[in-house]
């Protein structure tokens, strides 16, 4: 028994998507053209298009036609999945990365996927090189990527779009590019900044400074939460007490000690972008004979081992690390199976209280 006529149309369209001849956003030929191509009625063509719309691969626009909404994952020439996922992280030595990658590995290996791990070192050019590599090779089932300097304009956006057009599923972790239609799995960074600031306010602090990362979206969103908490409490946002640092300055905060202490002068507390920043600030304060928490209370974000090992153990918002890695891998696998899966997920911010905050309620 031969293939149904409408199924022939479906098979042809799917093959065009699999090979990349039809990409996301492309317009299908008109029903008249398809009818002539296959020697069938327009009604049969319309039925085939309806089936692909139900699958989520096409969308009809009134008065315009049918367009490719989503494509199949890229497959090898022999028609089988490559069973390979690429993980791209900014740093190899980040205190967050090892546990996050362990979570990803556990889920992907259980699903019999091979893993390729690559690093950008938070450099745009390295990100571009990696994206172009897999645009050319087209030998992977999906990519898990930590964006580079996600708060800044993204010159590599076109390569992400080309990968999407080829049908390669992509999922961001830890952060995301605002102008990219790619889902992400991360901590709820706005809530993290707010919860850290709220805790200091609850402890009676009124002049609260902040140190945030300039290039990363996490820094911007944590600042947004910090600002929101101050505003809700009726406390003024004093920009002179807010510091913006980049990756280089974060790694060598001691070089900026004078500037940092000057900006925090008069503050009784500070919200720190992460544990690494809080640790650097602790060392600066020790050298300047500023007591933590008596003279300056600190709340940071990540709740890493560094929070426990700091000279004064840090009150810190948890980063889910391993659970984030697992969730990211689980969601990528779901996207591979169903391109319409809603993969965005943000973990709730949880506070861990230690010794770096003193109460000022009685003052």
């Amino acid at each position: 028994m031969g293939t149904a006529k409408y199924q022939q149309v479906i098979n042809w369209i799917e093959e065009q998507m699999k090979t990349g001849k039809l990409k996301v956003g492309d317009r299908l030929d008109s029903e008249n053209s398809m009818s002539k191509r296959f020697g069938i009625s327009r009604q049969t063509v319309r039925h085939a298009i309806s089936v692909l719309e139900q699958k989520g691969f096409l969308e009809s626009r009134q008065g315009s036609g049918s367009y490719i909404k989503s494509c199949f994952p890229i497959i090898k020439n022999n028609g089988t999945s490559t069973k390979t996922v690429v993980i791209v992280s900014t740093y190899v030595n980040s205190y967050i990365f090892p546990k996050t990658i362990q979570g990803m590995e556990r889920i992907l290996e259980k699903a019999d996927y091979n893993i390729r791990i690559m690093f950008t070192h938070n450099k745009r050019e390295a990100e571009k090189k990696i994206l172009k590599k897999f645009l050319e090779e087209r030998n992977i089932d999906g990519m898990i990527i930590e964006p580079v300097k996600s708060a800044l304009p993204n010159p590599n956006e076109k390569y992400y779009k080309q990968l999407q057009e080829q049908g390669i599923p992509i999922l961001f972790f830890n952060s995301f590019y605002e102008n990219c239609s790619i889902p992400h799995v991360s901590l709820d960074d706005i809530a993290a900044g707010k919860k850290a600031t709220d805790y200091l306010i609850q402890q009676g602090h009124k002049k609260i400074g902040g140190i945030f990362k300039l290039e990363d979206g996490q820094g911007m969103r944590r600042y947004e939460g910090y600002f929101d908490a101050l505003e809700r409490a009726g406390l003024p946002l004093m920009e002179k007490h807010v510091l913006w640092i980049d990756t280089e300055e974060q790694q060598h905060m001691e070089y900026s000690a004078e500037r940092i202490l000057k900006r925090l002068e008069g503050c009784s507390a500070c919200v720190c972008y992460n544990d690494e920043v809080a640790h650097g600030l602790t060392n600066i304060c020790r050298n300047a004979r500023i007591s933590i928490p008596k003279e300056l209370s600190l709340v940071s974000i990540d709740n890493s081992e560094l929070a426990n090992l700091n000279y004064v153990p840090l009150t810190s918002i948890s980063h889910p690390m391993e659970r984030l890695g697992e969730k990211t891998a689980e969601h990528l696998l779901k996207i591979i199976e169903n391109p319409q899966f809603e993969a965005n997920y943000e973990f709730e911010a949880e506070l861990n209280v230690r010794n770096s905050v003193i109460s000022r309620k009685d003052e």
Side-chain angles (χ1 to χ4, degrees):
M1 199 173 168
T3 304
K5 291 182 178 179
Y6 81 90
Q7 188 62 49
Q8 292 175 20
V9 178
I10 291 172
N11 292 346
W12 181 82
I13 294 173
E14 288 182 343
E15 182 61 27
Q16 299 301 297
M17 290 192 288
K18 287 176 181 177
T19 58
K21 292 177 182 176
L22 281 175
K23 303 179 180 65
V24 173
D26 285 354
R27 183 181 179 277
L28 278 184
D29 290 342
S30 68
E31 289 179 3
N32 276 336
S33 296
M34 299 278 279
S35 175
K36 291 177 182 177
R37 177 191 292 272
F38 293 97
I40 57 178
S41 69
R42 287 182 60 186
Q43 184 176 355
T44 303
V45 172
R46 199 172 297 128
H47 178 58
I49 290 172
S50 175
V51 170
L52 287 171
E53 284 177 357
Q54 291 172 22
K55 287 184 176 183
F57 293 115
L58 297 181
E59 64 175 350
S60 291
R61 301 176 189 172
Q62 191 171 6
S64 179
S66 296
Y67 291 80
I68 305 299
K69 182 179 179 183
S70 176
C71 285
F72 285 83
I74 296 300
I75 57 176
K76 295 170 74 172
N77 292 334
N78 62 11
T80 60
S81 166
T82 66
K83 297 296 283 187
T84 299
V85 167
V86 173
I87 299 171
V88 183
S89 179
T90 51
Y91 295 110
V92 64
N93 59 348
S94 164
Y95 56 70
I96 289 176
F97 179 75
K99 289 187 177 180
T100 301
I101 199 66
Q102 285 170 15
M104 293 178 186
E105 284 178 330
R106 183 178 302 109
I107 299 301
L108 293 171
E109 287 176 357
K110 191 182 294 183
D112 294 324
Y113 274 81
N114 301 308
I115 303 168
R116 297 175 65 178
I117 303 174
M118 309 184 81
F119 301 97
T120 61
H121 306 287
N122 212 27
K123 296 184 182 300
R124 294 289 198 198
E125 193 58 36
E127 180 186 49
K128 174 182 175 180
K129 187 175 180 181
I130 291 170
L131 296 178
K132 290 184 70 175
K133 171 182 173 66
F134 291 106
L135 272 170
E136 294 168 1
E137 293 184 8
R138 299 177 61 180
N139 60 353
I140 55 175
D141 282 353
M143 301 184 78
I144 294 172
I145 302 177
E146 184 177 25
V148 171
K149 298 178 180 175
S150 52
L152 303 180
N154 177 18
N156 294 326
E157 184 177 352
K158 63 181 179 182
Y159 302 114
Y160 280 107
K161 286 183 177 178
Q162 288 171 24
L163 285 164
Q164 287 180 293
E165 288 170 356
Q166 286 191 6
I168 297 178
I170 305 172
L171 187 57
F172 288 138
F173 73 100
N174 278 341
S175 189
F176 56 93
Y177 294 119
E178 292 282 354
N179 295 326
C180 248
S181 59
I182 294 174
H184 68 276
V185 176
S186 69
L187 174 66
D188 184 341
D189 288 298
I190 295 176
K194 184 177 185 303
K195 186 163 283 193
T197 312
D198 278 340
Y199 180 70
L200 290 168
I201 293 169
Q202 290 162 13
Q203 298 306 308
H205 294 273
K206 293 181 173 57
K207 287 191 175 181
I208 303 170
I211 303 178
F212 301 99
K213 193 81 174 289
L214 178 66
E215 321 109 310
D216 294 343
Q218 300 100 306
M220 295 296 172
R221 289 184 282 276
R222 290 170 190 180
Y223 168 79
E224 185 178 340
Y226 159 83
F227 171 79
D228 183 56
L230 292 176
E231 188 172 49
R232 286 173 181 270
L235 296 175
L237 172 68
M238 296 173 286
E239 293 288 358
K240 66 179 181 179
H241 295 316
V242 176
L243 292 98
W244 293 96
I245 62 174
D246 60 15
T247 300
E248 184 67 24
E249 193 168 15
Q250 179 181 334
Q251 294 170 348
H252 302 284
M253 286 180 63
E254 66 276 12
Y255 299 158
S256 304
E258 186 177 347
R259 180 178 82 93
I260 291 170
L261 292 178
K262 182 68 176 175
R263 295 293 293 273
L264 294 177
E265 190 175 353
C267 294
S268 66
C270 181
V271 174
C272 296
Y273 169 75
N274 63 10
D275 293 342
E276 188 177 353
V277 168
H279 178 69
L281 181 56
T282 298
N283 289 335
I284 288 171
C285 288
R286 283 184 70 188
N287 291 335
R289 300 184 182 277
I290 296 172
S291 173
I292 294 176
K294 290 182 181 178
E295 295 176 84
L296 186 67
S297 290
L298 306 180
V299 177
S300 64
I301 297 170
D302 283 345
N303 195 39
S304 64
E305 291 181 5
L306 192 56
N308 271 318
L309 297 173
N310 195 56
Y311 177 69
V312 178
L314 298 167
T315 292
S316 184
I317 301 289
S318 289
H319 185 291
M321 298 185 196
E322 199 162 345
R323 287 190 297 132
L324 186 144
E326 291 174 344
K327 182 69 72 174
T328 304
E330 288 168 357
H331 280 206
L332 181 72
L333 293 178
K334 288 179 180 178
I335 298 173
I336 291 172
E337 182 180 338
N338 173 20
Q340 304 310 309
F341 175 71
E342 175 49 60
N344 284 308
Y345 188 91
E346 293 188 349
F347 283 88
E348 184 179 347
E350 298 176 357
L351 183 72
N352 301 270
V353 177
R354 296 192 182 86
N355 304 334
S356 62
V357 177
I358 193 171
S359 176
R360 301 237 174 184
K361 291 179 182 178
D362 298 329
E363 294 181 9

